[in-house]
Amino acid sequence: MISPFLILNENGERLTADALRFRFDAAREAAGVSKQDFQFRDLRAKAGTDKEERYGMAAAKDQLGHSDEKMTQRYVRHRKGKLVTPTR
């Protein structure tokens, strides 16, 4: 059966907001990253940054739902290191 939900748990059931928050916090802790350095809301900026690096500011603006590129420029982060591809 295809689920109407975007994020599912191991049993194919809807993952609640609280469960997602718990898993995110646990993963961040396991990675040794402080809450000050990386928060759940930073994922939005990361998505915009990734889109901008690959397809340009206009694509990032569309993905983030902004009507003005100036707002998108506030979200997009400029990476400190070079961009590399994943190992798999």
Side-chain angles (χ1 to χ4, degrees):
M1 177 179 154
I2 296 176
S3 174
F5 301 108
L6 179 63
I7 303 175
L8 306 175
N9 67 16
E10 297 81 8
N11 299 322
E13 302 164 336
R14 176 179 73 98
L15 193 64
T16 66
D18 287 340
L20 182 60
R21 162 67 60 193
F22 176 80
R23 289 175 183 217
F24 179 84
D25 290 345
R28 182 181 54 221
E29 186 176 323
V33 177
S34 75
K35 188 173 184 176
Q36 253 183 318
D37 290 335
F38 191 70
Q39 298 179 28
F40 193 79
R41 66 179 186 209
D42 293 326
L43 294 175
R44 180 174 165 81
K46 169 120 174 57
T49 299
D50 289 349
K51 183 66 82 169
E52 189 275 333
E53 286 179 345
R54 187 159 186 160
Y55 300 106
M57 191 62 72
K61 178 181 82 64
D62 291 344
Q63 177 171 327
L64 296 175
H66 295 152
S67 58
D68 185 1
E69 276 191 20
K70 288 182 183 182
M71 175 60 80
T72 307
Q73 289 169 354
R74 291 175 53 190
Y75 272 83
V76 169
R77 313 268 166 83
H78 299 286
R79 296 181 197 264
K80 295 178 182 173
K82 72 176 186 174
L83 186 63
V84 297
T85 57
T87 55
R88 301 199 243 172

